[in-house]
Amino acid sequence: MRNWLDGVLVYMMYLVSLGNTINPARDSCLNYESTYHLDRACECVIYQSYGGSSGRFTSPNFPQVYPRKTTCILYTFIGDVGEIVELTFLQFDLKLPSHNRCGDFVRVFQNLDRPEVNEYSKHDVELCGNISMIDKNFYSKSRSLVLEFHADGLPGGNYSGFQGLFHFRDKPSFRETDGVIRPRRVDVVNSRDEYTISGTRVPGTQCTYYFTSNNYNKTGRFFSPKYPQPYPASATCQYHFEALPGERVQLFFQNIQLHHQDTSYGWGSCRDSPDAVVVYDGRDNKSNVIGQYCDIHNQVELVSSGRYLFIEFYSDDRHAKKGFSATYKFISYLHPPDKNYHQDPQNGSRGTPWGSKITTLSPEFHCNENYNSAKRKNGTISSPFYPRSYPSDVTCRYTFQGVGRERVQIRFTHMDLYYPGGDATNPGDCEGTDSISVHVIISGKPANLGTYCGKKLPPMLMSNEPKLIVEFRSVQSSTYVTGFQADYSFVTNFGINEGKQDNRGVCMFNFFSTKQSQGTFSSPNYPGLYPRNTECHYLFYGRGKERVHITFPKFQVDGISPKCEEGTESDYVSFSNFAETEDRKMHRLCGVITEEKRRHIESDGPFFRVIFKSNDVYDAEGFQAFFKFRGMSEEKETLYQKHGAKPRSTRPTTSNGTGTNYPFVLLLFTAIFTHILMTST
């Protein structure tokens, strides 16, 4: 009997779900004053409130594939007087954006005075892709909200569409803050609002805030305007932080979601992006740039090098996204140095990723140490008891923490670890043997740059942020091995020693023909592995009609050519004749360029920009390049020499030279003309 009732209940729920699916029909459209729905051939679905009602809305055929020829469907939600509309997407699976443009999309109209849209209505957000790429909750400003669903009709892809819940809510249960509708918090008494900015807003500004440290205020939060709803168009925001003497400003961006520039490759430089967050290591935008973010980022941490820190956020007038959410903390940066520790070989455990409980044994034992750039900018680390043999069953962790745009560079100078698995000078698998692992932080999580063992020196390595961790593990020991030694440095030039560093970018270098007519430049940390998640700009400034010529004697950038696209997880080098935009006619380079395929790149004019960009997945040796500023006359001479001829002089010479004597020719022509006239008369 119980099973029979359960079956009936399931069947009834199925019928209810069928009743909630849409059956669009054009004659169910509202009587709009405009012909918007007719011009776009829109079908219409109406959801009318009957006093706090709710239900489900779906795309056609959900959860099956929606028709590719779905030209337009308008979902119109109309609440009673004193109600607003709440939408929650439960599932969302539309065609992924191409070149940052949505082919299939759902547009959300939240700020409507009447339950209708026309050709002048501006949508508040455009959604496409999957559920992880969108905001799930939306609220209307008044009693109505409209969704517009559109498919581009192009073949390819099987996408199930979307499913969501709608509720008509009592408007007094919600409040409007900075133009955003949010639920009132009634469960916590006297609690600070979840999205209230902790700083002081400057009167008369949209989003200029000041955050000042004192004895009672050390932490807080800040957001983009209207967060978690999309930020407004053409926003310009400033966030000023001032710590007490001896303090630093620590930032932590939990999430950044910004509209990125449309490019033919689907991504590009953040300097070219219309929406971005820029972090300066000082009072204002004349200070060093230590962070520049666009597109999507998670778990980003930054620390100022001094008392002051400044943030700019700007957006254009289209394609707004969710924005950013961040916290700040004023920290005392001068921590006491850690003591030397040693893991107890009897009770210690090798199973934990960062070592285990440690006890002090010997002043000669250097293990589990923290290195702070405020105390020292460079130094040496080594295995326990170096250059003598190290003990077995030990895990040591060396943690490096810099500030600002500092990066940690590690260069191994000695490597001699016990390796019983074969040739120690060319080890294969390092699993289960004595080893060194190097970790960086990407999106708030440790990422392994590499694990090394035996006697082969690891490559020179560099962090992508001011933090890096080296972990040494010994499984066995031998009296014949001597351990490892490495030099470390906190660098701000990314290991690039050519050109003049430009504070307008995190990693930017200028080359002027007035200073140097030719020279070399390289990828960060060259000839070691370049850091991940890094973008560097090389700007060349010539004079007059000079052009920039670039060749790559060495080139090894991880990627799949010829397009070097984001979808193939490619790092790349790109080129532009423009200072702030990508040059679509210039091709990207990635992969390996051999001696037979040396690339020769030439600018159109005296200015040229080279961009190197790496992702968070792979790394490689990078590149070394040669540049030269060439004038027009030098280019012609080179061209003639290439074809085995000498350039012809185009400048007239005097009568003493080998060129034509123009005054003599003119005098001779005048005499002949006069003689002809006299003869004719």
Short mmCIF file of all heavy atoms in Angstrom, two decimals, residues 508-561:
data_model
loop_
_atom_site.label_atom_id
_atom_site.label_comp_id
_atom_site.label_asym_id
_atom_site.label_seq_id
_atom_site.Cartn_x
_atom_site.Cartn_y
_atom_site.Cartn_z
N MET A 508 56.42 45.86 -16.67
CA MET A 508 56.45 46.69 -17.87
C MET A 508 57.83 47.32 -18.01
O MET A 508 58.37 47.84 -17.03
CB MET A 508 55.37 47.76 -17.81
CG MET A 508 55.31 48.66 -19.04
SD MET A 508 54.02 49.93 -18.91
CE MET A 508 52.57 48.91 -18.96
N PHE A 509 58.37 47.31 -19.23
CA PHE A 509 59.72 47.81 -19.47
C PHE A 509 59.73 48.63 -20.75
O PHE A 509 59.14 48.24 -21.76
CB PHE A 509 60.72 46.65 -19.54
CG PHE A 509 60.82 45.87 -18.26
CD1 PHE A 509 59.92 44.84 -17.98
CD2 PHE A 509 61.78 46.18 -17.32
CE1 PHE A 509 60.00 44.13 -16.80
CE2 PHE A 509 61.87 45.48 -16.13
CZ PHE A 509 60.98 44.46 -15.87
N ASN A 510 60.44 49.77 -20.70
CA ASN A 510 60.53 50.69 -21.83
C ASN A 510 61.91 50.62 -22.48
O ASN A 510 62.93 50.50 -21.79
CB ASN A 510 60.26 52.13 -21.38
CG ASN A 510 58.85 52.30 -20.85
OD1 ASN A 510 57.90 51.67 -21.32
ND2 ASN A 510 58.69 53.17 -19.86
N PHE A 511 61.92 50.76 -23.81
CA PHE A 511 63.15 50.79 -24.59
C PHE A 511 63.09 52.00 -25.52
O PHE A 511 62.17 52.11 -26.33
CB PHE A 511 63.33 49.50 -25.39
CG PHE A 511 63.39 48.26 -24.54
CD1 PHE A 511 62.23 47.65 -24.09
CD2 PHE A 511 64.61 47.71 -24.19
CE1 PHE A 511 62.27 46.51 -23.30
CE2 PHE A 511 64.67 46.56 -23.41
CZ PHE A 511 63.50 45.97 -22.96
N PHE A 512 64.07 52.91 -25.41
CA PHE A 512 64.09 54.15 -26.18
C PHE A 512 65.28 54.13 -27.15
O PHE A 512 66.40 53.81 -26.76
CB PHE A 512 64.20 55.36 -25.26
CG PHE A 512 63.08 55.46 -24.26
CD1 PHE A 512 63.21 54.92 -22.99
CD2 PHE A 512 61.90 56.10 -24.59
CE1 PHE A 512 62.19 55.02 -22.06
CE2 PHE A 512 60.87 56.22 -23.67
CZ PHE A 512 61.02 55.67 -22.40
N SER A 513 65.00 54.51 -28.40
CA SER A 513 66.09 54.54 -29.38
C SER A 513 67.10 55.64 -29.05
O SER A 513 68.25 55.57 -29.47
CB SER A 513 65.52 54.76 -30.78
OG SER A 513 64.92 56.04 -30.90
N THR A 514 66.65 56.66 -28.30
CA THR A 514 67.58 57.71 -27.90
C THR A 514 68.60 57.21 -26.89
O THR A 514 69.67 57.80 -26.73
CB THR A 514 66.81 58.89 -27.30
OG1 THR A 514 66.00 58.42 -26.21
CG2 THR A 514 65.93 59.56 -28.33
N LYS A 515 68.27 56.14 -26.21
CA LYS A 515 69.18 55.56 -25.21
C LYS A 515 69.97 54.39 -25.76
O LYS A 515 71.14 54.19 -25.43
CB LYS A 515 68.37 55.09 -24.00
CG LYS A 515 67.57 56.18 -23.30
CD LYS A 515 68.46 57.16 -22.57
CE LYS A 515 67.63 58.16 -21.79
NZ LYS A 515 68.47 59.16 -21.08
N GLN A 516 69.31 53.60 -26.61
CA GLN A 516 69.95 52.38 -27.10
C GLN A 516 69.33 52.01 -28.43
O GLN A 516 68.13 51.78 -28.53
CB GLN A 516 69.74 51.25 -26.07
CG GLN A 516 70.51 49.99 -26.36
CD GLN A 516 70.29 48.93 -25.28
OE1 GLN A 516 69.44 49.12 -24.41
NE2 GLN A 516 71.04 47.85 -25.34
N SER A 517 70.13 51.94 -29.48
CA SER A 517 69.61 51.67 -30.82
C SER A 517 69.35 50.19 -31.05
O SER A 517 68.57 49.83 -31.93
CB SER A 517 70.58 52.18 -31.89
OG SER A 517 71.84 51.51 -31.78
N GLN A 518 69.95 49.33 -30.26
CA GLN A 518 69.73 47.90 -30.38
C GLN A 518 70.09 47.22 -29.06
O GLN A 518 70.77 47.79 -28.22
CB GLN A 518 70.55 47.31 -31.52
CG GLN A 518 72.05 47.47 -31.35
CD GLN A 518 72.82 46.93 -32.55
OE1 GLN A 518 72.24 46.61 -33.58
NE2 GLN A 518 74.13 46.84 -32.42
N GLY A 519 69.60 46.00 -28.90
CA GLY A 519 69.89 45.28 -27.66
C GLY A 519 69.05 44.02 -27.57
O GLY A 519 68.51 43.53 -28.57
N THR A 520 68.93 43.47 -26.37
CA THR A 520 68.19 42.24 -26.14
C THR A 520 67.14 42.46 -25.05
O THR A 520 67.24 43.38 -24.25
CB THR A 520 69.12 41.09 -25.72
OG1 THR A 520 69.77 41.44 -24.49
CG2 THR A 520 70.17 40.81 -26.77
N PHE A 521 66.15 41.60 -25.04
CA PHE A 521 65.19 41.52 -23.93
C PHE A 521 64.72 40.07 -23.84
O PHE A 521 64.87 39.29 -24.79
CB PHE A 521 64.03 42.49 -24.11
CG PHE A 521 63.13 42.19 -25.29
CD1 PHE A 521 61.91 41.56 -25.12
CD2 PHE A 521 63.51 42.59 -26.57
CE1 PHE A 521 61.08 41.30 -26.20
CE2 PHE A 521 62.68 42.34 -27.66
CZ PHE A 521 61.46 41.69 -27.47
N SER A 522 64.15 39.71 -22.71
CA SER A 522 63.83 38.30 -22.47
C SER A 522 62.56 38.17 -21.66
O SER A 522 62.04 39.14 -21.09
CB SER A 522 64.99 37.61 -21.74
OG SER A 522 65.20 38.22 -20.47
N SER A 523 62.05 36.94 -21.61
CA SER A 523 60.89 36.64 -20.77
C SER A 523 61.31 36.69 -19.30
O SER A 523 62.50 36.60 -18.98
CB SER A 523 60.35 35.24 -21.12
OG SER A 523 61.38 34.28 -21.05
N PRO A 524 60.37 36.85 -18.38
CA PRO A 524 60.72 36.91 -16.97
C PRO A 524 61.43 35.64 -16.51
O PRO A 524 61.11 34.53 -16.94
CB PRO A 524 59.37 37.08 -16.26
CG PRO A 524 58.34 36.71 -17.27
CD PRO A 524 58.92 37.01 -18.60
N ASN A 525 62.45 35.83 -15.67
CA ASN A 525 63.23 34.74 -15.06
C ASN A 525 64.07 33.96 -16.06
O ASN A 525 64.57 32.88 -15.75
CB ASN A 525 62.31 33.77 -14.31
CG ASN A 525 63.06 32.92 -13.30
OD1 ASN A 525 63.87 33.43 -12.52
ND2 ASN A 525 62.80 31.63 -13.30
N TYR A 526 64.26 34.47 -17.28
CA TYR A 526 65.06 33.78 -18.27
C TYR A 526 66.53 33.71 -17.80
O TYR A 526 67.03 34.68 -17.23
CB TYR A 526 64.99 34.51 -19.61
CG TYR A 526 65.67 33.78 -20.74
CD1 TYR A 526 64.99 32.80 -21.45
CD2 TYR A 526 66.99 34.07 -21.08
CE1 TYR A 526 65.62 32.14 -22.49
CE2 TYR A 526 67.61 33.41 -22.12
CZ TYR A 526 66.93 32.44 -22.82
OH TYR A 526 67.55 31.77 -23.84
N PRO A 527 67.23 32.58 -17.98
CA PRO A 527 66.88 31.37 -18.73
C PRO A 527 66.20 30.29 -17.90
O PRO A 527 66.11 29.13 -18.33
CB PRO A 527 68.25 30.87 -19.22
CG PRO A 527 69.17 31.25 -18.10
CD PRO A 527 68.65 32.56 -17.57
N GLY A 528 65.71 30.65 -16.71
CA GLY A 528 64.91 29.70 -15.94
C GLY A 528 63.50 29.61 -16.48
O GLY A 528 63.17 30.20 -17.52
N LEU A 529 62.64 28.88 -15.79
CA LEU A 529 61.25 28.77 -16.21
C LEU A 529 60.52 30.06 -15.88
O LEU A 529 60.67 30.60 -14.78
CB LEU A 529 60.57 27.59 -15.50
CG LEU A 529 61.19 26.21 -15.72
CD1 LEU A 529 60.34 25.14 -15.02
CD2 LEU A 529 61.32 25.88 -17.20
N TYR A 530 59.73 30.58 -16.82
CA TYR A 530 58.99 31.80 -16.54
C TYR A 530 57.87 31.51 -15.52
O TYR A 530 57.35 30.39 -15.44
CB TYR A 530 58.43 32.42 -17.81
CG TYR A 530 57.60 31.51 -18.70
CD1 TYR A 530 56.30 31.12 -18.35
CD2 TYR A 530 58.10 31.05 -19.91
CE1 TYR A 530 55.54 30.31 -19.17
CE2 TYR A 530 57.35 30.23 -20.74
CZ TYR A 530 56.08 29.87 -20.37
OH TYR A 530 55.32 29.06 -21.18
N PRO A 531 57.48 32.50 -14.73
CA PRO A 531 56.43 32.28 -13.73
C PRO A 531 55.06 32.13 -14.37
O PRO A 531 54.81 32.63 -15.46
CB PRO A 531 56.50 33.55 -12.86
CG PRO A 531 57.09 34.58 -13.76
CD PRO A 531 58.05 33.86 -14.67
N ARG A 532 54.16 31.47 -13.68
CA ARG A 532 52.80 31.29 -14.17
C ARG A 532 51.96 32.54 -13.86
O ARG A 532 52.33 33.37 -13.05
CB ARG A 532 52.16 30.06 -13.52
CG ARG A 532 52.91 28.77 -13.82
CD ARG A 532 52.27 27.56 -13.18
NE ARG A 532 53.07 26.36 -13.38
CZ ARG A 532 52.77 25.16 -12.90
NH1 ARG A 532 51.67 25.00 -12.18
NH2 ARG A 532 53.56 24.13 -13.13
N ASN A 533 50.83 32.62 -14.54
CA ASN A 533 49.89 33.73 -14.32
C ASN A 533 50.58 35.09 -14.36
O ASN A 533 50.37 35.93 -13.48
CB ASN A 533 49.18 33.55 -12.97
CG ASN A 533 47.82 32.90 -13.14
OD1 ASN A 533 47.47 32.43 -14.23
ND2 ASN A 533 47.04 32.85 -12.08
N THR A 534 51.40 35.30 -15.35
CA THR A 534 52.20 36.53 -15.42
C THR A 534 52.03 37.18 -16.78
O THR A 534 51.96 36.51 -17.82
CB THR A 534 53.69 36.20 -15.17
OG1 THR A 534 53.84 35.69 -13.84
CG2 THR A 534 54.54 37.45 -15.33
N GLU A 535 51.95 38.51 -16.76
CA GLU A 535 51.83 39.29 -17.98
C GLU A 535 52.88 40.40 -17.97
O GLU A 535 52.93 41.18 -17.03
CB GLU A 535 50.43 39.88 -18.09
CG GLU A 535 50.20 40.71 -19.33
CD GLU A 535 48.78 41.23 -19.41
OE1 GLU A 535 47.83 40.46 -19.12
OE2 GLU A 535 48.61 42.43 -19.74
N CYS A 536 53.71 40.45 -19.00
CA CYS A 536 54.76 41.47 -19.10
C CYS A 536 54.63 42.22 -20.41
O CYS A 536 54.31 41.63 -21.45
CB CYS A 536 56.15 40.83 -19.00
SG CYS A 536 56.54 40.16 -17.36
N HIS A 537 54.91 43.53 -20.34
CA HIS A 537 54.84 44.39 -21.52
C HIS A 537 56.21 45.00 -21.80
O HIS A 537 56.88 45.48 -20.87
CB HIS A 537 53.82 45.50 -21.30
CG HIS A 537 52.40 45.01 -21.21
ND1 HIS A 537 51.45 45.31 -22.15
CD2 HIS A 537 51.79 44.24 -20.29
CE1 HIS A 537 50.31 44.74 -21.81
NE2 HIS A 537 50.49 44.09 -20.68
N TYR A 538 56.60 44.99 -23.06
CA TYR A 538 57.85 45.59 -23.51
C TYR A 538 57.48 46.67 -24.53
O TYR A 538 56.96 46.37 -25.61
CB TYR A 538 58.76 44.54 -24.13
CG TYR A 538 58.95 43.30 -23.29
CD1 TYR A 538 58.00 42.27 -23.30
CD2 TYR A 538 60.07 43.15 -22.47
CE1 TYR A 538 58.17 41.13 -22.53
CE2 TYR A 538 60.24 42.00 -21.69
CZ TYR A 538 59.29 41.01 -21.72
OH TYR A 538 59.45 39.87 -20.95
N LEU A 539 57.74 47.93 -24.19
CA LEU A 539 57.33 49.06 -25.02
C LEU A 539 58.56 49.69 -25.68
O LEU A 539 59.53 50.05 -24.99
CB LEU A 539 56.60 50.11 -24.19
CG LEU A 539 55.44 49.60 -23.33
CD1 LEU A 539 54.79 50.75 -22.58
CD2 LEU A 539 54.41 48.88 -24.17
N PHE A 540 58.51 49.83 -27.00
CA PHE A 540 59.64 50.36 -27.77
C PHE A 540 59.25 51.71 -28.36
O PHE A 540 58.21 51.83 -29.02
CB PHE A 540 60.03 49.38 -28.88
CG PHE A 540 60.52 48.05 -28.36
CD1 PHE A 540 59.62 47.04 -28.05
CD2 PHE A 540 61.87 47.83 -28.16
CE1 PHE A 540 60.06 45.82 -27.56
CE2 PHE A 540 62.32 46.61 -27.66
CZ PHE A 540 61.41 45.61 -27.35
N TYR A 541 60.09 52.72 -28.12
CA TYR A 541 59.83 54.07 -28.57
C TYR A 541 60.96 54.52 -29.51
O TYR A 541 62.08 54.76 -29.08
CB TYR A 541 59.74 55.03 -27.39
CG TYR A 541 58.61 54.73 -26.43
CD1 TYR A 541 58.81 53.87 -25.35
CD2 TYR A 541 57.36 55.31 -26.60
CE1 TYR A 541 57.78 53.59 -24.46
CE2 TYR A 541 56.32 55.04 -25.72
CZ TYR A 541 56.54 54.18 -24.66
OH TYR A 541 55.51 53.91 -23.77
N GLY A 542 60.65 54.61 -30.81
CA GLY A 542 61.62 55.09 -31.77
C GLY A 542 61.41 56.57 -32.06
O GLY A 542 60.59 57.25 -31.44
N ARG A 543 62.13 57.08 -33.03
CA ARG A 543 62.06 58.49 -33.42
C ARG A 543 61.70 58.60 -34.89
O ARG A 543 62.13 57.78 -35.71
CB ARG A 543 63.40 59.19 -33.18
CG ARG A 543 63.84 59.28 -31.73
CD ARG A 543 65.26 59.82 -31.63
NE ARG A 543 66.21 58.91 -32.26
CZ ARG A 543 67.49 59.17 -32.44
NH1 ARG A 543 67.98 60.34 -32.04
NH2 ARG A 543 68.30 58.28 -33.01
N GLY A 544 60.91 59.64 -35.21
CA GLY A 544 60.62 59.95 -36.61
C GLY A 544 60.08 58.77 -37.38
O GLY A 544 59.05 58.20 -37.03
N LYS A 545 60.83 58.36 -38.43
CA LYS A 545 60.39 57.27 -39.30
C LYS A 545 61.06 55.95 -38.95
O LYS A 545 61.06 55.02 -39.76
CB LYS A 545 60.66 57.63 -40.76
CG LYS A 545 59.87 58.83 -41.25
CD LYS A 545 60.13 59.10 -42.72
CE LYS A 545 59.30 60.28 -43.21
NZ LYS A 545 59.53 60.54 -44.66
N GLU A 546 61.62 55.86 -37.77
CA GLU A 546 62.24 54.60 -37.35
C GLU A 546 61.19 53.50 -37.19
O GLU A 546 60.03 53.78 -36.86
CB GLU A 546 62.99 54.79 -36.02
CG GLU A 546 64.28 55.58 -36.14
CD GLU A 546 64.99 55.69 -34.80
OE1 GLU A 546 64.31 55.60 -33.75
OE2 GLU A 546 66.21 55.89 -34.81
N ARG A 547 61.64 52.29 -37.39
CA ARG A 547 60.81 51.12 -37.15
C ARG A 547 61.56 50.15 -36.25
O ARG A 547 62.79 50.15 -36.21
CB ARG A 547 60.43 50.43 -38.47
CG ARG A 547 59.52 51.27 -39.36
CD ARG A 547 59.12 50.50 -40.60
NE ARG A 547 58.26 51.29 -41.46
CZ ARG A 547 57.74 50.85 -42.60
NH1 ARG A 547 58.03 49.62 -43.03
NH2 ARG A 547 56.96 51.63 -43.33
N VAL A 548 60.79 49.32 -35.56
CA VAL A 548 61.37 48.36 -34.62
C VAL A 548 61.43 46.99 -35.28
O VAL A 548 60.41 46.49 -35.78
CB VAL A 548 60.54 48.29 -33.32
CG1 VAL A 548 61.23 47.39 -32.30
CG2 VAL A 548 60.31 49.68 -32.75
N HIS A 549 62.60 46.38 -35.27
CA HIS A 549 62.80 45.05 -35.84
C HIS A 549 63.18 44.10 -34.70
O HIS A 549 64.08 44.39 -33.91
CB HIS A 549 63.90 45.06 -36.90
CG HIS A 549 63.54 45.85 -38.12
ND1 HIS A 549 63.31 45.26 -39.35
CD2 HIS A 549 63.35 47.18 -38.31
CE1 HIS A 549 63.01 46.20 -40.23
NE2 HIS A 549 63.04 47.37 -39.62
N ILE A 550 62.49 42.95 -34.63
CA ILE A 550 62.69 42.00 -33.53
C ILE A 550 62.88 40.61 -34.10
O ILE A 550 62.14 40.17 -34.99
CB ILE A 550 61.49 42.02 -32.56
CG1 ILE A 550 61.41 43.37 -31.85
CG2 ILE A 550 61.59 40.90 -31.54
CD1 ILE A 550 60.21 43.53 -30.95
N THR A 551 63.88 39.91 -33.58
CA THR A 551 64.10 38.50 -33.90
C THR A 551 64.23 37.71 -32.60
O THR A 551 64.56 38.27 -31.55
CB THR A 551 65.37 38.30 -34.75
OG1 THR A 551 66.49 38.87 -34.04
CG2 THR A 551 65.23 38.97 -36.10
N PHE A 552 63.95 36.41 -32.68
CA PHE A 552 63.99 35.54 -31.50
C PHE A 552 65.03 34.44 -31.70
O PHE A 552 64.72 33.39 -32.28
CB PHE A 552 62.62 34.91 -31.27
CG PHE A 552 61.57 35.88 -30.81
CD1 PHE A 552 60.74 36.50 -31.73
CD2 PHE A 552 61.42 36.18 -29.47
CE1 PHE A 552 59.76 37.40 -31.33
CE2 PHE A 552 60.45 37.08 -29.05
CZ PHE A 552 59.63 37.69 -29.97
N PRO A 553 66.26 34.65 -31.24
CA PRO A 553 67.25 33.57 -31.30
C PRO A 553 66.84 32.36 -30.47
O PRO A 553 67.13 31.22 -30.83
CB PRO A 553 68.52 34.23 -30.74
CG PRO A 553 68.29 35.70 -30.86
CD PRO A 553 66.84 35.90 -30.71
N LYS A 554 66.15 32.61 -29.33
CA LYS A 554 65.69 31.53 -28.46
C LYS A 554 64.20 31.73 -28.20
O LYS A 554 63.77 32.82 -27.83
CB LYS A 554 66.45 31.52 -27.14
CG LYS A 554 67.96 31.39 -27.27
CD LYS A 554 68.36 29.98 -27.71
CE LYS A 554 69.88 29.84 -27.75
NZ LYS A 554 70.30 28.48 -28.20
N PHE A 555 63.42 30.66 -28.37
CA PHE A 555 61.98 30.78 -28.15
C PHE A 555 61.41 29.43 -27.77
O PHE A 555 61.47 28.47 -28.53
CB PHE A 555 61.28 31.31 -29.41
CG PHE A 555 59.87 31.76 -29.17
CD1 PHE A 555 59.58 33.09 -28.93
CD2 PHE A 555 58.81 30.85 -29.16
CE1 PHE A 555 58.28 33.52 -28.70
CE2 PHE A 555 57.52 31.25 -28.93
CZ PHE A 555 57.25 32.59 -28.71
N GLN A 556 60.87 29.36 -26.55
CA GLN A 556 60.20 28.14 -26.08
C GLN A 556 59.10 28.56 -25.11
O GLN A 556 59.31 28.70 -23.91
CB GLN A 556 61.19 27.19 -25.40
CG GLN A 556 60.56 25.87 -24.98
CD GLN A 556 61.55 24.93 -24.32
OE1 GLN A 556 62.75 25.17 -24.36
NE2 GLN A 556 61.06 23.89 -23.69
N VAL A 557 57.92 28.80 -25.65
CA VAL A 557 56.77 29.24 -24.88
C VAL A 557 55.68 28.19 -25.03
O VAL A 557 55.26 27.88 -26.15
CB VAL A 557 56.27 30.62 -25.36
CG1 VAL A 557 55.00 31.03 -24.62
CG2 VAL A 557 57.35 31.67 -25.15
N ASP A 558 55.23 27.64 -23.92
CA ASP A 558 54.29 26.53 -23.97
C ASP A 558 52.99 26.94 -24.65
O ASP A 558 52.36 27.93 -24.26
CB ASP A 558 54.00 26.03 -22.56
CG ASP A 558 53.15 24.77 -22.58
OD1 ASP A 558 53.71 23.69 -22.74
OD2 ASP A 558 51.91 24.89 -22.46
N GLY A 559 52.60 26.19 -25.68
CA GLY A 559 51.36 26.51 -26.39
C GLY A 559 51.26 25.74 -27.68
O GLY A 559 52.20 25.06 -28.11
N ILE A 560 50.10 25.84 -28.28
CA ILE A 560 49.82 25.14 -29.54
C ILE A 560 49.62 26.19 -30.62
O ILE A 560 48.66 26.96 -30.61
CB ILE A 560 48.57 24.25 -29.41
CG1 ILE A 560 48.79 23.19 -28.32
CG2 ILE A 560 48.24 23.59 -30.74
CD1 ILE A 560 47.60 22.30 -28.07
N SER A 561 50.54 26.25 -31.56
CA SER A 561 50.47 27.21 -32.66
C SER A 561 49.62 26.62 -33.79
O SER A 561 49.38 25.41 -33.83
CB SER A 561 51.88 27.53 -33.15
OG SER A 561 52.53 26.35 -33.59
#
